[in-house]
């Protein structure tokens, strides 16, 4: 019995709807703060207040600062993957695609500062080719996520009509046993 109470307490602490909403608020705050701190460090390096010993790409260009909040958002998406696993397999699969998309988008922002925009050799540069491939991959993944969400909504709607469920019954909630 103690194990059940222990499990329920930690489930409510980590995986309840309230915990999910709280973690969402905190991840937004952390993401914004990390972006501003990253921009501040880049500004301090540009003003030569902080001397940079090596050529670190993430501290060379302000566009690269977007990489940092995406890392925290990616961490939150992994949490959501665990959060939705016992609730909905379909949502769990969608979250996997969203995580892959976030990884690619994060890499796009990291590599954006490395682009060679000269007209002569735009697609001959390896970074530019990788950038174009990442953009196309992201668009394709967004399309898959949209298609999957659309199909999920149609399936839920059809199932509710067939089984005579009301519109108010949309989420299965496990019992508190």
């Amino acid at each position: 019995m103690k194990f059940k109470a222990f499990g329920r307490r930690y489930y409510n602490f980590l995986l309840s709807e309230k915990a999910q909403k709280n973690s969402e608020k905190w991840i937004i705050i952390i993401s914004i703060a990390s972006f501003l701190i990253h921009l501040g460090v880049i500004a301090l390096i540009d003003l030569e207040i902080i001397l940079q010993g090596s050529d670190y790409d993430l501290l060379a260009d302000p566009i690269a600062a977007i990489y940092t909040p995406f890392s925290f958002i990616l961490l939150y998406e992994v949490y959501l993957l665990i959060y939705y696993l016992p609730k909905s397999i379909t949502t769990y699969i969608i979250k996997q695609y969203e995580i892959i998309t976030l990884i690619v988008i994060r890499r796009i922002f990291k590599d954006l500062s490395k682009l060679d925009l000269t007209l002569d050799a735009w697609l001959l540069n390896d970074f530019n080719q990788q950038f174009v491939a990442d953009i196309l991959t992201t668009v394709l993944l967004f399309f898959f996520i949209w298609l999957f969400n659309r199909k999920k909504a149609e399936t839920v709607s059809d199932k509710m009509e067939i089984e005579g469920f009301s519109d108010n019954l949309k989420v299965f909630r496990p019992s508190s046993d």
Side-chain angles (χ1 to χ4, degrees):
M1 288 300 168
K2 287 185 179 186
F3 182 72
K4 255 186 169 178
F6 176 80
R8 190 174 304 127
R9 184 171 4 141
Y10 282 101
Y11 175 85
N12 288 333
F13 179 72
L14 296 173
L15 297 174
S16 68
E17 193 171 324
K18 181 181 177 185
Q20 186 264 334
K21 294 294 180 193
N22 284 337
S23 62
E24 183 176 320
K25 289 175 189 174
W26 277 106
I27 209 68
I28 289 171
I29 292 167
I30 291 169
S31 295
I32 292 170
S34 68
F35 175 68
L36 295 174
I37 290 168
H38 195 151
L39 277 178
V41 169
I42 291 171
L44 292 174
I45 289 172
D46 283 347
L47 295 172
E48 297 180 359
I49 295 172
I50 296 176
L51 298 177
Q52 182 183 4
S54 66
D55 228 8
Y56 192 57
D57 291 339
L58 290 176
L59 296 175
D61 194 317
I63 293 175
I66 297 172
Y67 183 84
T68 304
F70 266 92
S71 298
F72 288 107
I73 293 169
L74 183 61
L75 181 67
Y76 176 68
E77 285 293 325
V78 171
Y79 164 76
L80 286 179
L81 187 69
I82 296 166
Y83 175 80
Y84 282 115
L85 179 60
K87 295 173 179 29
S88 169
I89 296 297
T90 307
T91 306
Y92 176 76
I93 293 169
I94 292 169
K95 287 294 169 196
Q96 290 177 356
Y97 277 105
E98 288 174 358
I99 288 171
I100 294 167
T101 305
L102 276 173
I103 291 169
V104 175
I105 290 172
R106 189 176 72 153
R107 187 172 56 208
I108 287 172
F109 283 113
K110 181 182 175 191
D111 293 340
L112 190 60
S113 59
K114 298 177 188 177
L115 282 179
D116 180 14
L117 299 176
T118 59
L119 295 176
D120 298 344
W122 201 83
L123 279 175
L124 297 177
N125 186 321
D126 288 340
F127 287 117
N128 294 357
Q129 290 174 357
Q130 182 65 43
F131 182 76
V132 170
D134 287 344
I135 295 270
L136 293 174
T137 301
T138 301
V139 169
L140 187 64
L141 286 168
F142 273 130
F143 175 72
F144 286 149
I145 292 168
W146 173 78
L147 201 61
F148 209 91
N149 276 318
R150 187 173 144 217
K151 187 65 177 169
K152 176 185 170 192
E154 288 174 6
T155 304
V156 169
S157 176
D158 291 346
K159 187 175 181 179
M160 290 174 87
E161 285 179 21
I162 291 170
E163 296 178 8
F165 290 131
S166 70
D167 288 337
N168 295 330
L169 182 61
K170 294 186 179 182
V171 179
F172 170 74
R173 299 207 193 292
S175 65
S176 60
D177 290 336

